[in-house]
């Protein structure tokens, strides 16, 4: 039996209820570490996504698995260097370990050829580090910062795709 297809589509306001539900998962927030202060704040979630969807410099895609919304993948201007671009993705935990994140990220990278691209992952987020490295990202530095989801400073790897 073949795995359902992973597809990307431009994120639309109608995707937001599903994306909000997905990002409520406490374990996913802990793994991501660098999240919003209160994932249950729907007004803040909607305001953030309104900014994302209204910014032509941000490429936001909804990840579909067999037609079902299972996450998001985004390219955005780096906070550290406005000329640089970073990627991020969020996949519903029930789909972790099935190659969904890797296929979604590969599709986003094929659609968005700008290089170099950067990414960040908490040092203990081994799954995300594997996804990034399988897609060609290499570790290029380290950093640490306050991680709202953990309530503490967390070390992270910086990665780059040439």
């Amino acid at each position: 039996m073949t795995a359902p297809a992973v597809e990307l589509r431009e994120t639309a306001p109608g995707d937001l209820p599903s994306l909000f539900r997905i990002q409520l998962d406490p374990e996913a927030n802990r793994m991501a570490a660098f999240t919003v202060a209160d994932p249950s704040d729907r007004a803040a979630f909607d305001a953030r996504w309104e900014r994302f969807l209204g910014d032509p410099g941000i490429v936001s895609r909804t990840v579909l698995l067999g037609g079902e919304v299972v996450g998001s993948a985004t390219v955005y201007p780096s906070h550290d260097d406005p000329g640089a671009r970073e990627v991020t993705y969020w996949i519903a935990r029930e789909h972790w370990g099935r190659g969904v994140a890797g296929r979604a990220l590969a599709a986003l990278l094929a659609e968005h050829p700008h290089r170099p691209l950067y990414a960040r992952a908490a040092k203990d987020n081994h799954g995300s580090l594997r996804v990034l490295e399988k897609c060609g990202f290499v570790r290029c530095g380290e950093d640490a910062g306050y991680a709202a989801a953990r309530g503490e400073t967390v070390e992270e790897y910086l990665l780059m795709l040439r």
Side-chain angles (χ1 to χ4, degrees):
M1 181 174 186
T2 45
V6 171
E7 301 173 82
L8 300 183
R9 72 166 178 230
E10 191 168 336
T11 301
D15 297 326
L16 299 184
S18 295
L19 295 176
F20 179 73
R21 179 189 53 78
I22 290 166
Q23 65 90 45
L24 287 173
D25 183 322
E27 177 61 17
N29 276 278
R30 192 192 74 68
M31 284 306 294
F34 301 96
T35 63
V36 297
D38 180 4
S40 67
D41 184 340
R42 181 59 194 257
F45 174 89
D46 287 342
R48 187 174 74 250
W49 273 97
E50 185 177 324
R51 285 192 312 275
F52 289 176
L53 297 178
D55 186 335
I58 296 176
V59 177
S60 296
R61 298 293 179 257
T62 296
V63 179
L64 305 169
L65 180 65
E68 174 192 352
V69 174
V70 297
S72 62
T74 304
V75 177
Y76 61 95
S78 170
H79 303 294
D80 299 330
D81 175 1
R85 313 281 291 159
E86 292 190 33
V87 298
T88 189
Y89 49 89
W90 190 288
I91 302 298
R93 184 163 43 114
E94 60 266 25
H95 300 288
W96 291 2
R98 298 181 183 175
V100 175
R103 290 183 282 161
L105 181 57
L108 181 68
L109 297 174
E111 178 184 326
H112 189 78
H114 178 92
R115 301 294 184 269
L117 281 176
Y118 297 90
R120 298 169 175 266
K123 285 186 175 182
D124 63 354
N125 189 342
H126 304 293
S128 193
L129 289 166
R130 268 194 313 275
V131 166
L132 290 161
E133 290 170 346
K134 282 184 179 181
C135 286
F137 283 82
V138 295
R139 295 176 192 185
C140 63
E142 299 181 16
D143 199 2
Y146 180 77
R150 298 185 190 179
E152 63 186 7
T153 298
V154 171
E155 293 181 342
E156 66 180 339
Y157 287 115
L158 309 175
L159 300 97
M160 177 177 39
L161 177 65
R162 290 198 183 275

